[in-house]
Amino acid sequence: MDVDQELDLKGMNCPLPLLKAKQAISRMQSGQVIRVYATDPGSVRDFASFANISGHILLASEEEHGVYIHTLQHK
């Protein structure tokens, strides 16, 4: 999968990972993909809710060695 932008937000606590991701997505075009790396476990819930509310597509949300990786596509 092609990723247009990656954000390393490890070490930031809620709600900063979601806020930074929302800012980045607002500058992206429809269909573009962003991948976010976070260490806050609450980001799993936050990104799922954000996708539901905003209409952006949560393509993947996975955890690897304590890092939560969220991949979203701009609506």
XYZ file of all heavy atoms in Angstrom:
582
model
N 0.842 -1.174 0.000
C 0.000 0.000 0.000
C 0.891 1.243 0.000
O 1.841 1.336 0.767
C -0.882 -0.026 1.253
C -1.612 1.241 1.509
S -2.533 1.330 3.059
C -2.884 -0.321 3.470
N 0.575 2.178 -0.872
C 1.311 3.434 -0.925
C 0.850 4.346 0.203
O -0.342 4.521 0.418
C 1.081 4.135 -2.262
C 1.766 3.433 -3.413
O 2.763 2.710 -3.165
O 1.328 3.596 -4.555
N 1.805 4.913 0.911
C 1.517 5.840 1.992
C 2.064 7.203 1.582
O 3.227 7.335 1.225
C 2.158 5.366 3.316
C 1.955 6.381 4.419
C 1.593 4.016 3.724
N 1.202 8.211 1.623
C 1.594 9.552 1.197
C 2.301 10.341 2.285
O 3.113 11.212 1.996
C 0.358 10.322 0.722
C -0.298 9.636 -0.470
O 0.304 9.640 -1.545
O -1.389 9.061 -0.297
N 1.988 10.031 3.540
C 2.615 10.751 4.642
C 2.695 9.843 5.856
O 1.792 9.043 6.107
C 1.812 12.011 4.982
C 2.451 12.859 6.048
C 1.728 14.174 6.275
O 0.772 14.505 5.587
N 2.169 14.924 7.251
N 3.791 9.978 6.615
C 3.947 9.251 7.866
C 4.191 10.247 8.987
O 4.919 11.226 8.797
C 5.115 8.268 7.789
C 4.853 7.095 6.881
C 5.941 6.043 6.954
O 7.128 6.407 7.068
O 5.598 4.859 6.895
N 3.589 9.987 10.130
C 3.773 10.822 11.308
C 4.277 9.964 12.451
O 3.645 8.971 12.804
C 2.449 11.460 11.750
C 1.882 12.612 10.958
C 0.572 13.084 11.600
C 2.853 13.759 10.888
N 5.404 10.351 13.041
C 5.927 9.663 14.211
C 5.510 10.467 15.436
O 6.082 11.511 15.730
C 7.447 9.561 14.127
C 8.045 8.792 15.289
O 7.322 8.489 16.259
O 9.247 8.484 15.222
N 4.493 9.985 16.119
C 3.955 10.679 17.281
C 4.174 9.873 18.558
O 3.445 10.040 19.541
C 2.465 10.974 17.058
C 2.168 11.777 15.784
C 0.670 11.937 15.588
C 2.859 13.123 15.823
N 5.186 9.034 18.525
C 5.494 8.213 19.697
C 5.890 9.124 20.868
O 6.563 10.127 20.687
C 6.616 7.220 19.376
C 6.218 6.207 18.314
C 7.261 5.131 18.115
C 8.528 5.602 17.497
N 8.603 5.545 16.050
N 5.435 8.747 22.051
C 5.747 9.507 23.254
C 4.719 10.579 23.580
O 4.741 11.140 24.672
N 3.826 10.884 22.651
C 2.774 11.878 22.912
C 1.570 11.199 23.542
O 1.221 10.084 23.183
C 2.356 12.561 21.612
C 3.405 13.422 21.008
S 2.736 14.293 19.580
C 4.160 15.246 19.097
N 0.957 11.889 24.479
C -0.221 11.358 25.160
C -1.490 11.963 24.574
O -1.462 13.039 23.981
C -0.151 11.655 26.659
C 0.966 10.882 27.323
O 1.226 9.739 26.971
N 1.644 11.507 28.263
N -2.589 11.247 24.776
C -3.907 11.666 24.331
C -4.181 13.084 24.829
O -3.846 13.390 25.971
C -4.928 10.684 24.909
S -6.609 11.019 24.421
N -4.708 13.943 24.018
C -5.229 13.755 22.670
C -4.262 14.165 21.563
O -4.663 14.288 20.411
C -6.456 14.679 22.661
C -5.996 15.862 23.468
C -5.124 15.252 24.567
N -2.991 14.406 21.885
C -2.057 14.938 20.890
C -1.891 14.092 19.633
O -1.876 14.648 18.528
C -0.696 15.219 21.527
C -0.663 16.461 22.415
C 0.697 16.610 23.082
C -0.988 17.706 21.620
N -1.770 12.757 19.721
C -1.618 12.002 18.464
C -2.785 12.238 17.499
O -2.567 12.452 16.302
C -1.555 10.542 18.926
C -1.002 10.622 20.308
C -1.609 11.880 20.889
N -3.995 12.230 18.019
C -5.149 12.440 17.142
C -5.185 13.873 16.611
O -5.446 14.092 15.429
C -6.448 12.113 17.878
C -7.710 12.266 17.040
C -7.666 11.355 15.820
C -8.938 11.986 17.867
N -4.885 14.853 17.455
C -4.910 16.247 17.008
C -3.885 16.492 15.911
O -4.183 17.145 14.898
C -4.661 17.193 18.191
C -5.774 17.249 19.227
C -5.362 18.146 20.396
C -7.060 17.765 18.618
N -2.674 15.976 16.079
C -1.625 16.143 15.061
C -2.023 15.436 13.761
O -1.786 15.953 12.674
C -0.292 15.594 15.569
C 0.254 16.312 16.768
C 0.900 17.599 16.378
C 1.617 18.220 17.562
N 2.149 19.533 17.250
N -2.621 14.262 13.881
C -3.059 13.525 12.690
C -4.174 14.282 11.974
O -4.183 14.365 10.738
C -3.515 12.125 13.072
N -5.112 14.840 12.731
C -6.205 15.602 12.127
C -5.668 16.811 11.361
O -6.136 17.113 10.265
C -7.188 16.067 13.206
C -8.084 14.969 13.724
C -8.871 15.376 14.933
C -9.937 16.383 14.650
N -10.809 16.620 15.836
N -4.670 17.482 11.916
C -4.058 18.622 11.230
C -3.424 18.182 9.915
O -3.580 18.839 8.886
C -3.001 19.278 12.112
C -3.564 20.026 13.296
C -2.489 20.526 14.234
O -1.345 20.058 14.214
N -2.851 21.487 15.078
N -2.715 17.062 9.941
C -2.056 16.564 8.735
C -3.078 16.145 7.686
O -2.929 16.451 6.501
C -1.134 15.396 9.085
N -4.125 15.449 8.108
C -5.154 14.986 7.170
C -5.864 16.171 6.517
O -6.207 16.116 5.337
C -6.162 14.057 7.889
C -5.502 12.716 8.181
C -7.419 13.850 7.051
C -6.325 11.791 9.047
N -6.033 17.243 7.262
C -6.730 18.410 6.703
C -5.959 19.024 5.541
O -6.534 19.727 4.717
C -6.986 19.453 7.793
O -5.781 20.103 8.162
N -4.652 18.759 5.456
C -3.832 19.287 4.360
C -3.680 18.295 3.210
O -2.996 18.576 2.236
C -2.451 19.678 4.891
C -2.488 20.815 5.905
C -1.110 21.282 6.305
N -0.327 20.253 6.976
C -0.296 20.065 8.293
N -1.004 20.825 9.091
N 0.458 19.106 8.812
N -4.308 17.137 3.336
C -4.179 16.094 2.322
C -5.366 16.130 1.364
O -6.397 16.731 1.658
C -4.076 14.727 2.997
C -2.826 14.582 3.852
S -2.773 13.023 4.759
C -2.346 11.906 3.450
N -5.189 15.461 0.235
C -6.249 15.394 -0.760
C -7.015 14.075 -0.628
O -6.507 13.104 -0.070
C -5.658 15.498 -2.163
C -4.982 16.822 -2.429
C -4.359 16.882 -3.801
O -4.658 16.066 -4.664
N -3.482 17.846 -4.014
N -8.203 14.059 -1.193
C -9.040 12.869 -1.165
C -8.289 11.669 -1.740
O -7.646 11.774 -2.782
C -10.309 13.125 -1.970
O -11.129 11.984 -1.946
N -8.348 10.545 -1.036
C -7.711 9.321 -1.490
C -6.298 9.121 -0.981
O -5.762 8.016 -1.045
N -5.679 10.184 -0.461
C -4.316 10.041 0.056
C -4.332 9.278 1.381
O -5.326 9.271 2.103
C -3.651 11.405 0.233
C -3.279 12.062 -1.081
C -2.443 13.308 -0.874
O -2.812 14.199 -0.118
N -1.312 13.370 -1.569
N -3.194 8.653 1.683
C -3.089 7.783 2.862
C -2.030 8.325 3.813
O -0.945 8.737 3.389
C -2.726 6.340 2.422
C -2.477 5.449 3.628
C -3.842 5.758 1.559
N -2.369 8.298 5.093
C -1.439 8.704 6.138
C -1.251 7.539 7.105
O -2.201 6.812 7.398
C -1.940 9.967 6.881
C -0.900 10.456 7.884
C -3.275 9.717 7.548
C -1.209 11.835 8.463
N -0.023 7.364 7.570
C 0.267 6.327 8.574
C 0.815 7.040 9.806
O 1.733 7.851 9.704
C 1.278 5.324 8.033
C 1.580 4.218 9.054
C 2.310 3.064 8.429
N 1.407 2.355 7.521
C 1.797 1.754 6.398
N 3.061 1.771 6.036
N 0.930 1.121 5.649
N 0.232 6.718 10.953
C 0.587 7.364 12.213
C 1.146 6.325 13.176
O 0.556 5.257 13.355
C -0.658 8.046 12.841
C -0.303 8.703 14.158
C -1.263 9.050 11.872
N 2.284 6.664 13.791
C 2.907 5.805 14.800
C 2.725 6.475 16.154
O 3.126 7.624 16.344
C 4.399 5.631 14.512
C 4.668 4.994 13.176
C 4.804 5.764 12.027
C 4.770 3.615 13.055
C 5.043 5.184 10.790
C 5.003 3.016 11.817
C 5.144 3.814 10.695
O 5.372 3.235 9.477
N 2.110 5.763 17.103
C 1.838 6.314 18.430
C 2.113 5.255 19.494
O 2.042 4.060 19.217
C 0.387 6.781 18.513
N 2.417 5.713 20.698
C 2.626 4.778 21.808
C 1.492 4.851 22.833
O 1.477 4.061 23.771
C 3.974 5.052 22.510
O 4.075 6.454 22.778
C 5.150 4.612 21.641
N 0.578 5.757 22.646
C -0.554 5.912 23.558
C -1.607 4.849 23.249
O -2.176 4.850 22.159
C -1.142 7.312 23.412
C -2.327 7.568 24.317
O -2.589 6.720 25.210
O -2.986 8.598 24.147
N -1.885 3.930 24.181
C -2.885 2.890 23.930
C -4.275 3.458 23.627
O -5.059 2.841 22.914
C -2.916 2.055 25.210
C -1.768 2.490 26.036
C -1.279 3.792 25.507
N -4.581 4.637 24.142
C -5.864 5.260 23.872
C -6.035 5.668 22.423
O -7.152 5.932 21.973
N -4.936 5.696 21.677
C -5.015 6.091 20.267
C -5.833 5.094 19.453
O -6.445 5.464 18.450
C -3.617 6.269 19.664
O -2.939 5.032 19.561
N -5.884 3.842 19.890
C -6.665 2.824 19.171
C -8.136 3.239 19.147
O -8.770 3.288 18.086
C -6.490 1.429 19.817
C -7.404 0.414 19.153
C -5.034 0.996 19.740
N -8.655 3.576 20.292
C -10.048 4.023 20.403
C -10.243 5.363 19.693
O -11.214 5.565 18.965
C -10.427 4.148 21.881
C -11.839 4.650 22.128
C -12.066 5.084 23.583
N -11.195 6.215 23.907
C -10.218 6.190 24.817
N -9.984 5.100 25.517
N -9.468 7.249 25.037
N -9.306 6.281 19.897
C -9.424 7.621 19.316
C -9.479 7.589 17.792
O -10.313 8.262 17.180
C -8.256 8.507 19.756
C -8.285 8.833 21.240
O -9.334 8.623 21.888
O -7.248 9.300 21.749
N -8.597 6.817 17.158
C -8.555 6.787 15.700
C -9.780 6.078 15.117
O -10.286 6.478 14.073
C -7.249 6.162 15.195
C -6.118 7.144 15.182
C -5.359 7.369 16.315
C -5.823 7.869 14.042
C -4.324 8.291 16.309
C -4.790 8.795 14.020
C -4.039 9.008 15.165
N -10.271 5.054 15.805
C -11.478 4.369 15.341
C -12.672 5.315 15.402
O -13.462 5.405 14.455
C -11.730 3.123 16.179
N -12.814 6.052 16.504
C -13.912 6.999 16.647
C -13.797 8.126 15.631
O -14.792 8.526 15.022
C -13.915 7.607 18.061
O -14.197 6.620 19.007
N -12.585 8.633 15.446
C -12.363 9.714 14.486
C -12.773 9.295 13.077
O -13.449 10.040 12.367
C -10.893 10.146 14.511
C -10.526 11.105 13.418
C -11.089 12.371 13.369
C -9.631 10.741 12.436
C -10.754 13.262 12.357
C -9.283 11.617 11.427
C -9.851 12.888 11.385
N -12.399 8.089 12.677
C -12.757 7.598 11.343
C -14.273 7.492 11.210
O -14.842 7.883 10.189
C -12.094 6.252 11.072
N -14.927 6.992 12.238
C -16.391 6.869 12.227
C -17.069 8.217 12.059
O -17.995 8.361 11.274
C -16.857 6.252 13.549
C -17.413 4.883 13.360
O -17.587 4.408 12.255
N -17.692 4.230 14.472
N -16.605 9.193 12.806
C -17.239 10.509 12.824
C -16.897 11.318 11.573
O -17.764 11.981 11.006
C -16.823 11.280 14.095
C -17.415 10.598 15.326
C -17.248 12.739 14.032
C -16.837 11.073 16.637
N -15.643 11.265 11.136
C -15.166 12.133 10.051
C -15.473 11.598 8.657
O -15.489 12.356 7.701
C -13.661 12.338 10.179
O -12.984 11.109 9.911
N -15.633 10.281 8.556
C -15.844 9.689 7.240
C -14.557 9.247 6.563
O -14.584 8.628 5.507
N -13.400 9.566 7.176
C -12.139 9.045 6.658
C -12.110 7.539 6.911
O -12.800 7.041 7.798
C -10.942 9.721 7.333
C -10.874 11.196 7.112
N -10.804 11.761 5.859
C -10.888 12.239 7.981
C -10.751 13.079 5.970
N -10.812 13.389 7.252
N -11.317 6.822 6.148
C -11.323 5.361 6.229
C -10.122 4.879 7.036
O -8.973 5.171 6.678
C -11.293 4.749 4.821
C -12.501 5.236 4.018
C -11.257 3.224 4.891
C -12.366 5.032 2.528
N -10.384 4.148 8.111
C -9.320 3.534 8.895
C -8.968 2.216 8.212
O -9.701 1.236 8.306
C -9.767 3.308 10.341
C -8.720 2.742 11.290
C -7.511 3.662 11.407
C -9.336 2.509 12.662
N -7.875 2.217 7.465
C -7.476 1.037 6.692
C -6.874 -0.046 7.577
O -7.038 -1.228 7.304
C -6.468 1.438 5.606
C -6.960 2.449 4.568
C -5.807 2.892 3.681
C -8.085 1.845 3.747
N -6.158 0.375 8.617
C -5.520 -0.592 9.516
C -5.213 0.085 10.839
O -4.946 1.283 10.886
C -4.236 -1.136 8.896
N -5.246 -0.710 11.886
C -4.849 -0.267 13.215
C -4.235 -1.486 13.878
O -4.925 -2.459 14.158
C -6.065 0.241 13.989
O -5.673 0.922 15.143
N -2.929 -1.437 14.062
C -2.230 -2.610 14.599
C -1.199 -2.184 15.631
O -0.876 -0.999 15.729
C -1.575 -3.397 13.459
C -0.727 -2.539 12.546
C -0.538 -3.137 11.158
O -1.143 -4.163 10.852
O 0.238 -2.549 10.400
N -0.717 -3.139 16.384
C 0.262 -2.877 17.428
C 1.488 -3.754 17.191
O 1.376 -4.942 16.922
C -0.356 -3.179 18.798
C 0.522 -2.814 19.972
C 1.365 -3.978 20.469
O 0.957 -5.128 20.242
O 2.418 -3.736 21.065
N 2.663 -3.131 17.241
C 3.930 -3.857 17.102
C 4.890 -3.359 18.170
O 5.303 -2.194 18.137
C 4.543 -3.623 15.713
C 3.804 -4.279 14.578
C 4.473 -4.034 13.225
O 5.627 -3.544 13.198
O 3.825 -4.318 12.208
N 5.218 -4.212 19.120
C 6.206 -3.894 20.162
C 5.878 -2.599 20.899
O 6.745 -1.755 21.115
C 7.615 -3.833 19.570
C 7.980 -5.023 18.755
N 8.177 -6.276 19.297
C 8.155 -5.170 17.415
C 8.467 -7.135 18.341
N 8.461 -6.492 17.180
N 4.605 -2.419 21.239
C 4.192 -1.247 22.002
C 3.948 0.000 21.169
O 3.675 1.058 21.719
N 4.058 -0.123 19.855
C 3.782 1.009 18.966
C 2.492 0.707 18.213
O 2.342 -0.356 17.614
C 4.944 1.246 17.973
C 4.594 2.366 17.005
C 6.231 1.556 18.722
N 1.563 1.653 18.277
C 0.286 1.517 17.589
C 0.403 2.212 16.235
O 0.799 3.375 16.161
C -0.842 2.121 18.434
C -0.926 1.446 19.777
C -0.223 1.913 20.875
C -1.667 0.263 19.930
C -0.258 1.264 22.090
C -1.717 -0.392 21.148
C -1.010 0.115 22.222
O -1.041 -0.552 23.431
N 0.087 1.476 15.190
C 0.233 1.976 13.829
C -1.150 2.092 13.216
O -1.851 1.087 13.060
C 1.130 1.037 12.993
C 2.465 0.838 13.699
C 1.322 1.601 11.589
C 3.270 -0.334 13.154
N -1.534 3.318 12.900
C -2.848 3.601 12.349
C -2.668 4.101 10.922
O -1.896 5.016 10.672
C -3.577 4.659 13.176
C -3.584 4.349 14.643
N -4.355 3.338 15.186
C -2.901 4.900 15.677
C -4.151 3.310 16.497
N -3.270 4.236 16.813
N -3.387 3.503 9.993
C -3.316 3.899 8.594
C -4.705 4.351 8.167
O -5.664 3.600 8.254
C -2.838 2.719 7.722
O -1.616 2.213 8.257
C -2.611 3.160 6.283
N -4.780 5.611 7.741
C -6.061 6.205 7.349
C -5.994 6.729 5.924
O -4.947 7.191 5.481
C -6.407 7.385 8.261
C -6.698 7.061 9.701
C -5.598 7.609 10.566
C -8.010 7.662 10.094
N -7.145 6.671 5.279
C -7.275 7.232 3.930
C -8.244 8.410 3.996
O -9.332 8.302 4.554
C -7.784 6.185 2.948
C -7.845 6.702 1.524
C -8.265 5.610 0.569
O -9.096 4.764 0.896
N -7.690 5.631 -0.618
N -7.814 9.513 3.414
C -8.655 10.716 3.364
C -9.890 10.414 2.527
O -9.790 9.804 1.463
C -7.865 11.861 2.738
C -8.504 13.196 2.882
N -9.687 13.528 2.262
C -8.122 14.289 3.584
C -9.992 14.767 2.568
N -9.062 15.248 3.358
N -11.042 10.836 3.012
C -12.302 10.564 2.286
C -12.366 11.313 0.975
O -11.698 12.254 0.728
C -13.512 10.914 3.151
C -13.626 12.383 3.503
C -14.856 12.611 4.334
C -14.867 14.061 4.789
N -15.945 14.349 5.659
